[in-house]
Amino acid sequence: MIILGINETSHDASASLIKDGKILFAGHAERYSKQKNDWYINDSLIEDALQYGKPDHIAYYEKPLLKASRLAFRGGLGDWKPRFNIEKIPRKSFSHHYSHASAGYYTSPFNDAVIVVLDSIGEYNTSTIWIGEKNNIKLKYKQNYPVSFGLFYSAFTQLVGLMPNQEEYIMMGMAAYGDSEKYFKKVNEYFPNIKKQKYNFHNGINDWDLVTEQDKFDIAAAVQKVYELRLTDFMTHAKKITGKNNLVFMGGCALNCSANTLLWNIFSDVWIMPNPGDAGSSLGAAAALYGKHLDWQSPYIGHDLGGEYPVEQIITELIKNKIAAVATGKAEYGPRALGNRSILADPRNSNIKNEVNKIKKRELFRPFAPVVLEEYANKWFDMDFTSPYMQYAVKCLQPDKIPSVVHKDGTSRVQTVNAKQHPGLHQVLSNWYVLTGVPVLLNTSLNIKGQPLLNDSNDIIEWEKTYNFNICK
Ligand SMILES: [Fe+2]
């Protein structure tokens, strides 16, 4: 049975194709249309997906009528109707949070787990707790709109001058530069416990006057702290009511890598699918219809550029220029570049940050992430777990040796790599380690500023022309 999963009419449209539990393809609409956070499916994406087979079923990630009723309740219908369809192929819809839960649980290594979904809003659900046992997922607890972890974080993202639903990760980065105590008490009053918030954050924060630029950083720090406290409360509650020791965490909130690290204090094992936000829900809807665990191998399931991993070319570039751009094989499904659409760089010199920033043209305070050989990860970073999808920020143990991948607060958002997970990238790191004694490289996404990650060969040509810089491929 071939199932085409679809999510659209919300930020980050995507499509996924599975066959008898095998994931054949999953890709983001934005990487084809070049419209960041594109809301809609496009023909090129579907063409790419359908080359792997013709679907027997379409699975949709939301209940459109239920969503329409909530939009109407808020005072306007907006765009709720899914546009994509293939005639004569039966179509089934699953609820927003159930699609998130399915994306997480059915790709996880667990047969017994609690599944927590936290986002801004689905149809009405904002925070849900599910029990996953064998092939079944059952709802245990729900919290509805307007109390919402995601809306709380997004409203403050907007308050500090960033784009809500898109730039939460930038505010998370700003937190390290602020004094969390200055506004902690005030921010805590906005979200004093997991069931209570001051008002509906969907309308933004409307009773706060910003004073200085530094205030923005102090607010970011306080918001991150309050978020981490409430997240801890919610996860403790989830563990208590289910008695489970394995956690599957999904929804846009699972992209907060600073807070995610705290989960290891509560649960013995944690799985966050590398695309936990709405973009991951096309795979979630397909998995929900399949109703069993998928054969999860890796996040490299998008557009295929083909080719062998250019190990020697990357090493040569790193030695010569300290920076190597790489685009090869299948694109990552998820927001992080994990080696196939990446800029890799020598992390030992802090000046390299400026060099990469010249290409990326991003805010100077934003940290770059390291990729490290899994076998040496705990010598360089304070972690006793792996992080193959760059989902946890942990303390760097040797910051003087790799200053360009350490954030202001001494943490790094680590990607660990072993030979099974990505043989090519593992080889690059192994060769780099022999040459330098450092099993770490800087890894950031390969994109033209303001655009999504590079996807196809046309993007490579465009990038090389724009930056006058060769890509290893
Ligand atoms: Fe969501």
Side-chain angles (χ1 to χ4, degrees), residues 96 100 119 121 251-252 278:
H96 188 106
H100 274 312
D119 63 4
I121 187 167
D278 285 5

Side-chain angles (χ1 to χ4, degrees), residues 368-390:
F368 284 110
V371 55
V372 58
L373 283 174
E374 184 185 299
E375 51 268 44
Y376 297 105
N378 61 7
K379 291 192 174 57
W380 289 78
F381 303 98
D382 184 17
M383 60 196 298
D384 54 7
F385 49 86
T386 60
S387 177
Y389 313 127
M390 222 183 249

Side-chain angles (χ1 to χ4, degrees), residues 371-377 415-417 425-426 429-430 433 439-440:
V371 55
V372 58
L373 283 174
E374 184 185 299
E375 51 268 44
Y376 297 105
Q415 178 193 2
T416 55
V417 176
L425 186 55
H426 186 265
L429 283 160
S430 301
Y433 181 47
V440 183

Side-chain angles (χ1 to χ4, degrees), residues 128-337:
T128 51
I129 298 170
W130 311 72
I131 288 178
E133 285 172 352
K134 294 188 178 134
N135 286 328
N136 300 313
I137 296 175
K138 225 169 66 191
L139 183 66
K140 180 77 181 169
Y141 172 93
K142 67 175 183 204
Q143 178 78 57
N144 278 351
Y145 179 78
V147 175
S148 159
F149 276 77
L151 288 177
F152 162 77
Y153 209 92
S154 293
F156 277 99
T157 299
Q158 189 172 30
L159 182 73
V160 301
L162 298 167
M163 201 133 40
N165 268 333
Q166 266 188 48
E167 296 185 327
E168 282 72 10
Y169 65 101
I170 299 180
M171 188 169 79
M172 185 183 71
M174 288 168 66
Y177 290 83
D179 169 9
S180 64
E181 286 312 307
K182 191 167 169 197
Y183 290 118
F184 173 75
K185 206 164 160 260
K186 187 170 172 182
V187 173
N188 199 51
E189 281 166 13
Y190 284 78
F191 193 3
N193 65 61
I194 58 170
K195 292 183 180 172
K196 195 175 164 199
Q197 288 178 337
K198 194 172 177 185
Y199 49 68
N200 185 345
F201 292 120
H202 219 165
N203 304 317
I205 307 286
N206 50 37
D207 54 356
W208 194 313
D209 293 322
L210 281 176
V211 186
T212 63
E213 265 309 292
Q214 182 57 39
D215 272 347
K216 294 182 178 177
F217 292 89
D218 295 336
I219 290 167
V223 170
Q224 181 67 23
K225 187 169 177 187
V226 170
Y227 171 77
E228 288 179 5
L229 287 170
R230 295 298 87 82
L231 179 74
T232 303
D233 295 342
F234 195 86
M235 290 295 178
T236 306
H237 174 62
K239 186 174 179 175
K240 196 172 147 199
I241 63 170
T242 62
K244 304 291 186 193
N245 288 314
N246 297 325
L247 170 71
V248 173
F249 184 28
M250 293 294 290
C253 293
L255 288 164
N256 192 313
C257 59
S258 302
N260 287 347
T261 309
L262 301 168
L263 305 173
W264 292 96
N265 299 335
I266 305 169
F267 295 94
S268 46
D269 207 349
V270 180
W271 170 258
I272 303 172
M273 201 268 261
N275 203 359
D278 285 5
S281 289
S282 61
L283 186 61
L289 184 56
Y290 184 61
K292 286 184 258 184
H293 279 78
L294 302 177
D295 177 22
W296 174 265
Q297 295 291 331
S298 86
Y300 310 101
I301 46 183
H303 179 74
D304 192 0
L305 283 168
E308 290 280 304
Y309 206 69
V311 176
E312 291 309 320
Q313 205 187 347
I314 292 170
I315 293 290
T316 306
E317 285 294 321
L318 283 171
I319 294 168
K320 204 170 104 197
N321 300 320
K322 312 248 179 265
I323 298 175
V326 53
T328 184
K330 292 191 176 185
E332 293 87 345
Y333 183 49
R336 308 269 99 88

Side-chain angles (χ1 to χ4, degrees), residues 172-179 214 217-218 221 258 353 364-368 393-396 399 402-413:
M172 185 183 71
M174 288 168 66
Y177 290 83
D179 169 9
Q214 182 57 39
F217 292 89
D218 295 336
S258 302
K353 232 172 140 170
L364 288 175
F365 60 80
R366 282 176 55 199
F368 284 110
V394 295
K395 194 167 174 273
C396 179
I402 46 172
S404 72
V405 290
V406 184
H407 198 21
K408 167 92 170 149
D409 60 3
T411 65
S412 304
R413 189 182 67 197

Side-chain angles (χ1 to χ4, degrees), residues 28-46:
H28 298 245
E30 65 168 25
R31 297 192 195 158
Y32 294 80
S33 68
K34 317 302 171 203
Q35 303 289 318
K36 218 156 165 27
N37 302 99
D38 198 343
W39 280 42
Y40 301 104
I41 297 294
N42 55 66
D43 292 346
S44 318
L45 167 65
I46 293 300

